[in-house]
Amino acid sequence: MTSMHVENVNKSFGNNHVLKNISLSVQSGEFVSVLGPSGCGKTTLLKLIAGLEMQDSGHVYIGGACCDNVPARKRGAVIVFQDFALFPHMTVKQNIDFGLAVKKISRSERERKIMAMLDVMQISDKAEFYPRALSGGQKQRVALARACVLEPRVLLLDEPFSNLDPGLRDDMREFVSKLQRELGITTILVTHDKEEAFMLSGRVAVIIDGCLQQYDTPENIYKKPHTVLVSDFIGEANYISGMISNYHFSCALGDFDAAELVDGEAKLMLRYDQLIISNSKGMPCRIISKVYKGNVTTYRVEIEKSETLGLPEALTLKINSSDSSFEPGHKAFIRVADRAGHVLR
C-alpha cells in the first residue's frame, strides 16, 4: 500500500486559476473523497496526481517520493473516468488485458491476473462480450478491473457513478467500497455528491473555488463546517445571529460553546434535523408551512418577536422531522437537539 501527498499545488489554464495552493495527504490504504461543485478543480487535481497534467507550482509525492518528473505510465496512479473509456472493438477480457500487455507481462501471467480479476469483479461470464453488450454496472466493473489488474499504487476515481441509474449507483457504491477494503488500494474519489463522499470515505476534502476549504471526517464536515461556504454546500441549515463573549455564544435559542472564537458577532448553524418539534417542551412557535417528503417532513416555523428572547423581529426556522402530524397554522414547540449547533464567523 502507498501513501499520496500533494504540497502547495497550483494550476491555471490561461487566466483561470483552477487550483490554489492545495495541500492534501492520503494515508496508505485510505479511501478519501474530493468533494465540490462542478468546475472547482477536482478532476484537474486527479490528473495532476496521475501525471496527465503538470502543476504550475508545488509537488506531488507517491509513496514518499516526489513524482514531479515521473511520467504518468511510471507513477502507478491509475484513473477510472466517469465514461469508463472502454475500447469498443475489444472484448471484456481484451480490455482488461490492455495495460498488462503494454507492460510486456508474460501471456501466462496476464491470463492468471485477468481471470482472477474477472472473478473478483463477478463478471467471469462476460469475458468474451463486447462493451456494447454490457449494462452500465458491468461496464463500470470492467473499467475497475482494467485499473485494478495493474495493481496501482493509487486508484483515482473520477465521478465513476454519475452515469448510472440511482438503484444501480447505490449497488456499485457498495461494491466499490467492499472491493477497496479487500484490495487495500489507496483510493481517491472525485464527486459532487455529498452522500456518496460521506458513504464511502473516512475523510473528505471539500474544494470550492479552487481552494481546499476543509479536510475532515464526514461527521465533522456535516456538523462542524469551518465556514458558511462549506456549510451551505454540504446541506441546508438555519443560521441564527448572536454574540460571542468569553468563548460562549448567546442567541435567541440559548447559549452555545464557541470554542476558541474571539468575542463579537457570529452565527449559530443548525441543520434542519438538529431541531426537534413537539407538542410540548421547548420554545413556542407557529407552523407556517409543511412539505411531506416520505420519510421526513420539512416544516417552516415562526417564533414570534420577543424582548425577553432578544428577538426584535420574528425568527423563521426550518425543521426536518419524522413526525408528519403538525399542520400549518397550528401551535407547536421546538428545541435544539442535544449536542447540536455549531458557531461560525
Side-chain angles (χ1 to χ4, degrees):
M1 293 189 291
T2 307
S3 62
M4 192 290 306
H5 176 67
V6 295
E7 180 181 278
N8 301 325
V9 163
N10 287 273
K11 179 64 178 179
S12 295
F13 295 101
N15 295 325
N16 184 16
H17 196 173
V18 178
L19 293 174
K20 305 170 184 175
N21 209 40
I22 300 287
S23 292
L24 182 72
S25 293
V26 181
Q27 299 172 5
S28 296
E30 188 176 14
F31 196 130
V32 162
S33 285
V34 178
L35 175 66
S38 298
C40 73
K42 306 185 300 295
T43 296
T44 298
L45 179 60
L46 282 199
K47 289 180 177 180
L48 293 179
I49 295 169
L52 301 179
E53 294 279 0
M54 187 63 189
Q55 66 271 20
D56 299 328
S57 62
H59 306 286
V60 176
Y61 299 87
I62 295 178
C66 183
C67 295
D68 294 348
N69 298 314
V70 178
R73 68 181 185 277
K74 294 184 178 181
R75 289 196 182 192
V78 179
I79 292 185
V80 176
F81 291 103
Q82 62 182 11
D83 62 358
F84 313 137
L86 300 179
F87 298 113
H89 61 287
M90 293 183 180
T91 65
V92 166
K93 190 174 179 180
Q94 289 169 338
N95 264 280
I96 297 172
D97 183 46
F98 180 79
L100 296 174
V102 169
K103 294 178 71 172
K104 302 187 184 304
I105 294 173
S106 69
R107 182 174 294 277
S108 61
E109 180 66 6
R110 282 155 49 196
E111 185 72 15
R112 184 189 68 77
K113 288 177 179 288
I114 292 167
M115 297 311 294
M117 193 54 61
L118 286 167
D119 184 56
V120 167
M121 296 295 174
Q122 301 171 20
I123 50 173
S124 297
D125 59 332
K126 307 297 181 185
E128 302 303 327
F129 283 45
Y130 287 90
R132 63 179 177 273
L134 303 177
S135 68
Q138 290 164 349
K139 290 177 182 178
Q140 177 90 78
R141 295 185 188 210
V142 177
L144 285 168
R146 188 173 62 183
C148 293
V149 77
L150 298 173
E151 300 177 4
R153 303 167 77 193
V154 180
L155 179 63
L156 307 171
L157 305 176
D158 185 17
E159 306 217 30
F161 312 111
S162 60
N163 291 332
L164 303 178
D165 294 333
L168 181 57
R169 188 181 304 143
D170 289 342
D171 291 342
M172 284 306 302
R173 285 169 177 169
E174 292 180 12
F175 179 83
V176 168
S177 179
K178 181 174 180 289
L179 178 70
Q180 192 274 337
R181 290 195 303 270
E182 289 178 350
L183 299 180
I185 301 174
T186 303
T187 302
I188 304 171
L189 167 73
V190 152
T191 181
H192 63 271
D193 187 324
K194 62 179 180 296
E195 178 183 295
E196 187 167 281
F198 287 2
M199 169 186 172
L200 293 171
S201 313
R203 289 191 294 169
V204 176
V206 181
I207 294 181
I208 301 175
D209 295 331
C211 298
L212 180 60
Q213 303 286 338
Q214 188 167 347
Y215 187 29
D216 214 329
T217 64
E219 184 174 7
N220 280 346
I221 287 174
Y222 182 77
K223 294 182 177 179
K224 299 178 180 179
H226 289 174
T227 65
V228 172
L229 198 62
V230 173
S231 175
D232 283 343
F233 177 72
I234 294 302
E236 298 172 311
N238 299 289
Y239 298 98
I240 300 94
S241 297
M243 295 290 294
I244 297 174
S245 178
N246 294 323
Y247 309 124
H248 286 85
F249 176 81
S250 297
C251 68
L253 297 185
D255 296 331
F256 298 83
D257 177 39
E260 300 178 358
L261 297 178
V262 298
D263 291 359
E265 295 181 356
K267 291 182 178 180
L268 176 71
M269 184 215 73
L270 283 169
R271 300 288 183 198
Y272 292 179
D273 57 2
Q274 293 180 323
L275 285 165
I276 299 169
I277 187 169
S278 66
N279 287 306
S280 62
K281 192 176 181 183
M283 300 177 65
C285 66
R286 181 170 61 91
I287 310 296
I288 303 299
S289 66
K290 168 185 179 179
V291 180
Y292 179 71
K293 301 177 180 177
N295 64 336
V296 68
T297 297
T298 299
Y299 296 100
R300 187 163 62 92
V301 307
E302 181 182 81
I303 302 172
E304 294 182 357
K305 63 181 180 180
S306 166
E307 291 185 9
T308 304
L309 296 174
L311 282 175
E313 56 186 33
L315 176 63
T316 301
L317 302 169
K318 285 190 175 181
I319 302 168
N320 281 343
S321 175
S322 59
D323 186 345
S324 62
S325 64
F326 298 94
E327 297 295 338
H330 288 189
K331 297 290 185 181
F333 293 84
I334 63 165
R335 67 182 188 275
V336 178
D338 292 342
R339 295 182 296 279
H342 180 61
V343 182
L344 295 167
R345 299 313 290 259

